[in-house]
Amino acid sequence: VSQSRYEPMDAQAHAHEQREEVNRRFATEVRDAVLQQAPDLVRFFNRQARLHQDGSLIRFGFLSDATVIHFSTVSAVRQSASVSYARAKLWELARAKEFAGLPSAALLTAVPRKDDPTLGSKQRSKLATNLSEIEREADDGKVRFLPVDSVSMAVERVLELST
């Protein structure tokens, strides 16, 4: 069996690890910036909850009595993987909102700016289509989809949702 048969899986695993690292970095930057403005919110970051009775604990980026938030990113280069990740997080948010009886749930997603000079017209078009798709699926699950193109925008959304 040749080594080349295993490379696609290795590349796929590496891409997954990179996506997770980018998502963690975004969530950390948002958390740190929120805590500079509202240090009392520290207890709500990186909390775990169950999605059903006796279920496994799931870690959420932010979880309070008012809302549950997952943080994610959409990469212009790996859009399909980003959309799949968003779908999984939307499902977790909808279940958590329902199970805990929370008034709101949101997927706070870092997206490329619309005027990002590194995006070609095809990438922009595909990005718009994918963001619309995530929005529709979020609406179906009664979850808010909040695309942001900066940490400061993300901080504003967290602060709005936390009250």
Side-chain angles (χ1 to χ4, degrees):
V1 177
S2 74
Q3 179 64 25
S4 65
R5 295 179 117 184
Y6 296 102
E7 289 174 13
M9 185 55 93
D10 290 344
Q12 197 173 31
H14 181 66
H16 175 76
E17 288 173 15
Q18 284 182 318
R19 184 175 61 253
E20 288 295 322
E21 176 59 30
V22 170
N23 287 334
R24 269 192 300 275
R25 186 170 53 246
F26 172 62
T28 299
E29 288 181 23
V30 172
R31 183 197 68 214
D32 292 349
V34 166
L35 295 179
Q36 286 180 352
Q37 294 183 40
D40 57 311
L41 295 180
V42 68
R43 68 186 183 276
F44 300 122
F45 282 95
N46 297 314
R47 291 184 63 198
Q48 295 181 329
R50 298 184 196 290
L51 302 182
H52 52 83
Q53 193 69 34
D54 300 324
S56 298
L57 289 171
I58 304 295
R59 183 172 307 279
F60 292 93
F62 187 91
L63 175 62
S64 70
D65 293 338
T67 193
V68 58
I69 303 170
H70 262 315
F71 299 99
S72 70
T73 59
V74 170
S75 166
V77 177
R78 298 190 182 277
Q79 289 189 43
S80 62
S82 298
V83 171
S84 294
Y85 183 86
R87 284 185 173 124
K89 296 305 176 184
L90 287 171
W91 185 86
E92 289 179 355
L93 288 163
R95 290 293 302 139
K97 179 183 174 195
E98 178 185 333
F99 185 69
L102 296 171
S104 75
L107 181 62
L108 189 57
T109 303
V111 299
R113 289 188 345 254
K114 290 182 187 217
D115 64 348
D116 186 328
T118 65
L119 298 180
S121 61
K122 285 184 181 180
Q123 284 178 313
R124 274 192 189 87
S125 176
K126 184 70 173 164
L127 181 63
T129 299
N130 284 331
L131 294 179
S132 292
E133 180 75 13
I134 295 169
E135 175 113 36
R136 280 192 301 276
E137 291 187 28
D139 289 346
D140 288 348
K142 296 181 177 40
V143 173
R144 294 179 66 185
F145 174 57
L146 303 172
V148 298
D149 62 16
S150 69
V151 169
S152 61
M153 283 179 68
V155 169
E156 289 175 28
R157 300 299 173 268
V158 171
L159 293 173
E160 289 168 5
L161 291 167
S162 68
T163 57

